[in-house]
Amino acid sequence: MGCVNSVQDKQAAGVWNAGGQGARSGHWQAEAAGAVAELLGGGTSAQVEVAVKCRRLPNKDVLSKSDPLAVLLVGDPHGRTWSEVGRTDVVANSLNPDFRQPLVVTYEFERLQPCRLVVYDVDTRAGDVSKLRLEQQDFLAEGRFLLSDLLTAPGQALSIPLTGAQQRPLPGCVALLSAEQLPNTNALVSLTLAGSKLANMDTFSKSDPFVQVSKSREGGAWVPVLKTEVIDNNLNPQWKPFQASMAQLCNCDEHRPLLIEVFDHDASGSHDLIGSCQASLAVLQEAAAAGRALPLVNPKKAGKPGYANSGTLLVRHASVVPRPSFLDYITGREGGAGSRGPGWPESEAALSAACLVCVAPTLQCLPACRCLLAKVACLQPCKAMPACHPAGGVTLNFLVAVDFTASNRDPRDPSSLHYIGQRTTQYEDAISAVGLVLEHYDTDKRFPCWGFGAALPPAGTTSHCFALNGNAGNPEVQGVKGILEAYRQALMSVRLSGPTLFAPIINAAAQHITQLAAEPSPHLQYFVLLILTDGCIMDMQNTLTALVNASNLPLSLLIVGVGNEDFAAMEILDGDDHRLRAPDGRMAARDCVQFVPFRPAARDTVEGLAAKLLAELPGQVVEYFHDMRGVPPPPRPSAPPPAVSAATPEPAAAVGVPVTPATPPANGADRFPRI
């Protein structure tokens, strides 16, 4: 979405129900949810604060102890290049520092983010640690971890071992990390503005005013973020309410300056400035509460005798409504859902609808959920909902489907997209790129994987949905490595055939999801189906029907076009510009499809593919749970870091070990290369 969003655009999309027209269309609710999701953006990034403690650091000073400073660096997905993102304060004379200054890092869901925590002994003094030249300080230790491992660890707390120069082990030397998302990163700001006694800029009529809101950059430049609709011939206009995420409006800083300009609209585009004022979100809220008008000043007229202002701006309403973020759902929220509390569905109908979101409710809850899964009105309100609502974050379940149609060419042919040679295939590259990101959010790392469009032995009958591992009753394999092994094994045993049909795969995934409703789970569950294909589908009408049905499930579909075919016809499946509609006229409940072509010959990178594919997924997760089902983020499991004293240091753990005694070590060191 662009930086400027007109209210007319949102009205056309269904955000504003002007005169009831949207409601009469029968699709207003679906379009409104989509427009709000567009308004808030994908939500793939969030600001995260990381607190750091170190234990048993080596001492580099002779007459005193080291004065440690911790520096955080974030690398590319391969760990080849590193960029500094923050520094802590300096703790004087301590080998067991608890740094007061946290590190702030931008979490990006769609990318693997290897991190290095490097600790120095500061030998020079500076009032501002950012001005310290690190090459002049003594290196003490460093540790590595994945940001996603920290954020998905119990209690968002992680213990990592620290090593010395050349990765030399330092027995007992560890860093204790704890993370917390900064508040209001996904809050929704609502504003209603009006003008009073605006200056008239027209000769034969009155001004046609509209408002443009810009936020300030760190360097002082103004960047437009919002504008209202135009009101014709009116010097006392009241514009329709408009909304923006707090991140979009003011970078989550309620004191960041905003420039509010009122223009007289001109059809040629050369709008005349009526007047402007500067105010922060906090000032706008105070003005709304006090009923105080803000004077609009035209810089060209300021200072002239008798000039006071060009009218005033009235803030009729200004509010900030918290909205859960993707991280709230993934990690759980402090004081989150439990028995009925803040944000918990109050009505029995809402409770029943929320049961569907659990996907894997307890057997106690299941009878009331079956009617919802059958898409009929729930006649048995779910009394067990508070009991079955899981604690802990959402689990993202990864599902894969691979195109085995003959258009890929014989796997023995070097020109085949399935050619097994010295290099990995484009199919394997795409599976790895997406799978290596998603597997960190899947608790059991068991992934169902299917193929379609192949003739299966012994009869040679073409199947449009078959298990890659040969087990139709249980198509799951272990990890991304298991998917790649099953894919290669299938290439050796099936014959490429056709045609290319998507509907059987989508329906199989939907059936897999609904079957899991009979299995209890400690987590909310969401599913991501990756479909890889080399050409356009032959069952568009059936696919549209399957996608509209699937839009009501906790499911997102990522479709990758592999090879050099023209995928223009596939763009219809990506509902960014319009809501999908089934042949019978039913509209999709939401946009849950992302289509991306993958052409390495055009310098498409594997990392770029993953970023494009996963860009909309966080927003789709929040839209499904919060906007569609009214289910708040689950409570965050509590796992405070253990007390570690200098006398009895905690033993060095494997990289990325959550600081929970019951959690087995996980060797995160081999998840990305060292430099």
Side-chain angles (χ1 to χ4, degrees):
M1 119 182 222
C3 64
V4 177
N5 308 282
S6 70
V7 174
Q8 295 100 315
D9 295 338
K10 300 307 171 189
Q11 185 176 16
V15 170
W16 309 116
N17 188 3
Q21 294 177 358
R24 287 197 295 272
S25 72
H27 302 296
W28 182 83
Q29 291 87 349
E31 292 293 347
V36 169
E38 177 189 348
L39 179 73
L40 293 172
T44 61
S45 63
Q47 295 296 106
V48 174
E49 192 175 78
V50 180
V52 181
K53 301 178 181 180
C54 293
R55 296 296 180 263
R56 290 290 295 271
L57 291 173
N59 192 11
K60 290 296 182 74
D61 292 346
V62 178
L63 301 178
S64 62
K65 296 178 180 178
S66 296
D67 304 323
L69 162 77
V71 179
L72 183 64
L73 302 98
V74 176
D76 64 75
H78 299 288
R80 297 191 184 110
T81 60
W82 299 88
S83 301
E84 180 182 327
V85 296
R87 302 182 182 186
T88 66
D89 54 308
V90 177
V91 178
N93 295 311
S94 177
L95 304 182
N96 302 283
D98 293 355
F99 296 103
R100 294 187 304 274
Q101 178 64 41
L103 301 163
V104 177
V105 59
T106 300
Y107 160 74
E108 298 178 84
F109 162 76
E110 69 272 22
R111 303 179 190 276
L112 280 180
Q113 292 177 278
C115 298
R116 290 173 59 200
L117 183 75
V118 185
V119 185
Y120 294 90
D121 174 22
V122 175
D123 290 328
T124 58
R125 292 290 176 255
D128 185 353
V129 295
S130 65
K131 297 180 180 179
L132 285 173
R133 298 182 62 179
L134 297 180
E135 67 272 14
Q136 295 178 353
Q137 318 307 318
D138 293 328
F139 170 83
L140 291 179
E142 76 164 89
R144 306 193 183 202
F145 62 97
L146 287 175
L147 186 57
S148 55
D149 282 347
L150 171 59
L151 295 174
T152 56
Q156 294 183 288
L158 205 65
S159 172
I160 62 171
L162 299 179
T163 58
Q166 287 79 48
Q167 306 300 320
R168 178 174 54 84
L170 298 174
C173 184
V174 297
L176 305 176
L177 311 176
S178 61
E180 183 176 1
Q181 182 181 351
L182 292 178
N184 287 329
T185 56
N186 214 35
L188 188 65
V189 179
S190 298
L191 293 172
T192 303
L193 303 178
S196 176
K197 299 180 181 180
L198 299 181
N200 191 11
M201 309 298 287
D202 294 341
T203 303
F204 300 106
S205 62
K206 296 179 181 179
S207 296
D208 308 318
F210 71 92
V211 176
Q212 178 172 287
V213 180
S214 303
K215 67 180 176 183
S216 66
R217 293 288 194 191
E218 295 298 336
W222 295 104
V223 179
V225 291
L226 291 170
K227 74 175 182 181
T228 67
E229 81 281 15
V230 176
I231 298 181
D232 293 333
N233 296 308
N234 197 325
L235 301 182
N236 297 282
Q238 176 158 320
W239 293 279
K240 294 175 181 177
F242 58 96
Q243 296 177 318
S245 70
M246 196 165 177
Q248 175 195 11
L249 181 66
C250 58
N251 288 33
C252 304
D253 179 4
E254 64 178 2
H255 299 292
R256 178 181 287 258
L258 300 174
L259 176 64
I260 305 172
E261 300 170 294
V262 180
F263 290 93
D264 174 27
H265 180 267
D266 192 310
S268 67
S270 57
H271 311 307
D272 298 320
L273 176 66
I274 297 175
S276 66
C277 64
Q278 291 189 29
S280 64
L281 176 58
V283 170
L284 293 176
Q285 289 180 293
E286 185 274 329
R292 178 168 59 87
L294 303 176
L296 296 169
V297 176
N298 190 319
K300 294 181 179 180
K301 299 180 180 180
K304 291 184 177 181
Y307 177 78
N309 58 61
S310 297
T312 57
L313 182 75
L314 306 176
V315 186
R316 302 292 191 193
H317 174 79
S319 65
V320 179
V321 179
R323 186 174 189 269
S325 69
F326 174 68
L327 267 182
D328 288 331
Y329 281 101
I330 290 297
T331 65
R333 175 185 277 180
E334 291 289 350
S339 59
R340 299 192 190 193
W344 187 254
E346 291 297 332
S347 67
E348 297 296 347
L351 284 172
S352 298
C355 286
L356 175 62
V357 192
C358 287
V359 179
T362 62
L363 295 178
Q364 178 187 14
C365 182
L366 180 61
C369 293
R370 284 178 173 155
C371 55
L372 283 166
L373 293 173
K375 298 185 180 68
V376 298
C378 184
L379 302 179
Q380 304 178 47
C382 178
K383 306 294 185 182
M385 184 64 188
C388 75
H389 192 70
V394 171
T395 289
L396 297 182
N397 298 274
F398 186 37
L399 305 86
V400 179
V402 181
D403 186 337
F404 282 82
T405 57
S407 55
N408 286 279
R409 298 189 180 182
D410 192 315
R412 295 168 294 184
D413 182 347
S415 65
S416 171
L417 293 171
H418 286 306
Y419 179 65
I420 304 298
Q422 297 298 318
R423 303 183 53 142
T424 56
T425 69
Q426 292 182 34
Y427 285 96
E428 291 174 307
D429 289 341
I431 291 170
S432 297
V434 178
L436 289 175
V437 173
L438 291 180
E439 70 174 355
H440 295 283
Y441 304 90
D442 191 309
T443 52
D444 63 4
K445 294 179 174 50
R446 294 194 59 81
F447 308 136
C449 49
W450 298 280
F452 57 94
L456 306 185
T461 303
T462 298
S463 172
H464 301 293
C465 182
F466 62 92
L468 286 188
N469 64 358
N471 185 349
N474 183 14
E476 293 184 343
V477 298
Q478 187 66 44
V480 174
K481 181 180 179 182
I483 298 174
L484 299 177
E485 291 174 349
Y487 160 73
R488 291 210 168 199
Q489 184 60 39
L491 281 177
M492 304 297 180
S493 58
V494 305
R495 176 173 55 84
L496 305 190
S497 182
T500 304
L501 307 180
F502 274 12
I505 286 291
I506 298 170
N507 291 332
Q511 182 181 9
H512 177 81
I513 293 171
T514 54
Q515 285 176 345
L516 285 180
E519 301 176 8
S521 171
H523 301 276
L524 289 174
Q525 299 204 47
Y526 195 87
F527 298 81
V528 182
L529 172 61
L530 173 66
I531 302 178
L532 303 109
T533 184
D534 78 320
C536 294
I537 58 177
M538 304 300 177
D539 63 338
M540 181 63 75
Q541 298 303 305
N542 289 339
T543 295
L544 289 173
T545 298
L547 289 174
V548 169
N549 293 339
S551 68
N552 289 290
L553 294 174
L555 172 67
S556 290
L557 295 97
L558 312 177
I559 304 174
V560 178
V562 179
N564 297 315
E565 291 297 317
D566 181 5
F567 293 106
M570 299 289 282
E571 296 289 348
I572 191 175
L573 302 180
D574 194 327
D576 286 344
D577 299 325
H578 59 277
R579 193 59 57 88
L580 291 181
R581 191 186 298 271
D584 61 6
R586 290 180 300 117
M587 186 173 286
R590 61 194 177 102
D591 172 24
C592 59
V593 180
Q594 179 79 339
F595 173 78
V596 176
F598 180 43
R599 295 187 174 95
R603 297 188 176 182
D604 288 349
T605 65
V606 173
E607 293 79 16
L609 172 68
K612 292 176 183 177
L613 277 174
L614 298 172
E616 296 182 7
L617 181 58
Q620 291 172 358
V621 171
V622 175
E623 181 186 11
Y624 180 81
F625 288 120
H626 183 267
D627 301 338
M628 284 184 60
R629 302 300 180 189
V631 173
R636 181 181 302 165
S638 178
V644 181
S645 67
T648 56
E650 178 181 300
V655 172
V657 179
V659 287
T660 308
T663 304
N667 185 9
D670 57 1
R671 294 188 187 175
F672 52 90
R674 293 186 178 276
I675 61 172

